[in-house]
Amino acid sequence: GMIEGKKSFFHVVRERCFGAGVGFPHFSLLSLDTLERDLRAYADVPIWIWTQAKVITDPGEQFGRTLALFQGYPREVLVRKLKYYWLRSEYALIAVCPNHPRDNGDLLGALTGLVDGINDLLRVYFLVEGRPFPYTEKLFRYADSTALGRKWGPFLQEAMETVVGLRDAAQPAWDRLNRVRETLICDEEDASAKALWEDCERALVAAGVEPEWIAADFHNIEELLSGELGPAPQ
């Protein structure tokens, strides 16, 4: 009685199947054609979900054979993804600017830019290792399974805790935001930030991104804004 559609559905089962205190258990149904399409398109989040999944039953090994289509990212696909999320992170962090008028609208934009920039940076952490990344809710949680995440996760965690007021809550929001901006983005002023970006750049090069492209830095932004690497940011 749970299946609500032949093509796809999403169902929350709650306590009646698993008992109390199990959080938010749910399951969904999709066709093998959809799985194959996502694998061939190198869709990161679906690939992360299915490569992390525990197989309970697989009659005829249909799922296993379909999942075997993914044998990692081809080099050109991986490099394009890395350039896309690297530039998107930089582009988002532009919004974290201390010179905006101090009204709520600009504060929302600055906070959004910071969060988006950090999330895209976390996606890069997975991709430099040739791995798909999880959906946004799980990015920080699983980032410590990557080398860059293990090293720099605490640094980014402290930045986010400062911005949302878990640290230094008595300070005005803009003051906390500006301090994090100076610490995280202005790498000429903070040794930790400089080391963070240098580690990322070395990992990008090791994954196949051209050193000269890294050196050009934000001069590559037209590749992002033109849609050459993927959907242009809104």
Side-chain angles (χ1 to χ4, degrees), residues 89-90 92-98 110 113-114 117-118 155-156 159 177-190 192-194 196-197:
S89 177
E90 289 193 318
L93 290 172
I94 289 175
V96 191
C97 178
L114 181 67
I118 289 178
F155 180 71
L156 297 177
L177 185 68
N178 291 338
R179 182 152 57 87
V180 167
R181 174 191 176 274
E182 292 171 358
T183 300
L184 181 62
I185 303 171
C186 301
D187 56 4
E188 295 304 320
E189 301 178 19
D190 188 278
S192 294
K194 184 176 182 179
L196 163 66
W197 299 116

Side-chain angles (χ1 to χ4, degrees), residues 80-167:
R80 177 181 57 79
K81 285 178 177 289
L82 284 167
K83 289 180 177 180
Y84 176 70
Y85 287 108
W86 181 252
L87 284 177
R88 208 171 74 162
S89 177
E90 289 193 318
Y91 187 74
L93 290 172
I94 289 175
V96 191
C97 178
N99 299 318
H100 289 309
R102 297 192 173 196
D103 59 56
N104 290 334
D106 286 324
L107 180 58
L108 176 61
L111 288 170
T112 301
L114 181 67
V115 171
D116 287 349
I118 289 178
N119 279 334
D120 280 338
L121 191 62
L122 294 174
R123 293 180 176 105
V124 169
Y125 289 0
F126 287 88
L127 289 170
V128 292
E129 297 183 3
R131 299 164 52 192
F133 51 78
Y135 46 98
T136 303
E137 180 190 352
K138 303 295 184 183
L139 272 172
F140 227 124
R141 175 178 175 181
Y142 287 99
D144 64 0
S145 69
T146 69
L148 287 172
R150 283 190 297 275
K151 183 173 182 179
W152 293 107
F155 180 71
L156 297 177
Q157 181 72 31
E158 181 177 343
M160 291 306 303
E161 288 178 357
T162 299
V163 168
V164 301
L166 295 179
R167 295 170 182 259

Side-chain angles (χ1 to χ4, degrees), residues 31-86:
S31 69
L32 288 170
D33 289 342
T34 300
L35 173 61
E36 181 175 347
R37 181 198 65 202
D38 288 341
L39 294 171
R40 293 191 183 281
Y42 301 104
D44 305 278
V45 171
I47 292 175
W48 181 85
I49 292 172
W50 293 115
T51 55
Q52 299 296 311
K54 178 180 180 180
V55 177
I56 298 174
T57 180
D58 185 16
E61 297 185 352
Q62 296 177 88
F63 173 77
R65 288 200 306 271
T66 305
L67 189 62
L69 292 170
F70 179 69
Q71 297 293 323
Y73 298 102
R75 181 184 176 90
E76 64 275 11
V77 171
L78 182 61
V79 168
R80 177 181 57 79
K81 285 178 177 289
L82 284 167
K83 289 180 177 180
Y84 176 70
Y85 287 108
W86 181 252

